[in-house]
Amino acid sequence: MGEMSTGFSLFIVGWTIVLVSLMAIGGYFMFRKFLKSMPKQDGKSDLDWQDHYIDQTRALWTDEGLTLLNELVDPVPQLFRDVARRSIAARIGQIALEEKATTITTDLIVKGYIVATPKRDHKWLIAHLKSKEIDYTPYEKYLNAEG
């Protein structure tokens, strides 16, 4: 019954590395979600605030606005698209409430989309807005602001 073959040993080591890597990646995303669900000083978590802004502004959305939002999040990988759509919609809702808007306009959608997008993705965001033929020049101040 003797020795394990070298190939099999390497397979076991390789498979261990793959599993540990996948668990680390999964753990990272679970931890981020956990942090977002932790209550802040006001007693609400980031996720609670997202739900609040979405619920408060649900009636202000038009069909065109929802279509535009779906087009804007279309390049996001399928796995993260729903999360991205919710966080962008919540940010748009927050801006709409702050500006006391009566409907969600293209202006609010583009502004919320830019503000909700992490700074590291702004190059990609600009390319996407150009491909959609959306003029982002009025919003350049948001591109340089910390979001």
Side-chain angles (χ1 to χ4, degrees):
M1 286 294 196
E3 306 274 322
M4 265 198 312
S5 74
T6 309
F8 189 67
S9 300
L10 288 174
F11 171 76
I12 296 294
V13 169
W15 188 237
T16 303
I17 291 169
V18 167
L19 285 179
V20 168
S21 302
L22 289 173
M23 284 193 286
I25 293 167
Y28 169 74
F29 284 107
M30 285 173 60
F31 187 67
R32 279 184 51 190
K33 182 91 172 173
F34 170 72
L35 287 179
K36 280 187 172 185
S37 67
M38 291 292 290
K40 304 267 189 276
Q41 272 104 9
D42 60 10
K44 283 190 171 187
S45 70
D46 288 347
L47 294 176
D48 293 335
W49 277 113
Q50 271 188 18
D51 293 342
H52 169 77
Y53 290 129
I54 288 170
D55 291 342
Q56 291 291 308
T57 57
R58 196 174 298 270
L60 306 181
W61 284 89
T62 62
D63 289 344
E64 297 83 31
L66 289 171
T67 304
L68 177 61
L69 178 64
N70 287 330
E71 285 174 9
L72 292 175
V73 296
D74 198 44
V76 176
Q78 185 71 47
L79 191 62
F80 307 110
R81 198 171 295 155
D82 287 340
V83 174
R85 185 183 298 116
R86 281 190 71 76
S87 62
I88 292 170
R91 194 62 133 146
I92 293 166
Q94 180 184 1
I95 294 169
L97 290 175
E98 287 167 1
E99 296 183 3
K100 295 175 177 45
T102 52
T103 56
I104 304 282
T105 60
T106 303
D107 178 60
L108 284 171
I109 292 170
V110 175
K111 194 186 298 182
Y113 174 60
I114 290 171
V115 172
T117 303
K119 201 171 180 63
R120 66 179 178 270
D121 294 336
H122 280 180
K123 248 189 227 122
W124 166 86
L125 173 145
I126 290 168
H128 188 59
L129 287 175
K130 281 181 182 169
S131 74
K132 293 274 172 222
E133 295 178 7
I134 295 171
D135 178 23
Y136 63 90
T137 47
Y139 314 102
E140 282 183 336
K141 63 178 179 253
Y142 301 109
L143 286 169
N144 299 323
E146 287 300 317

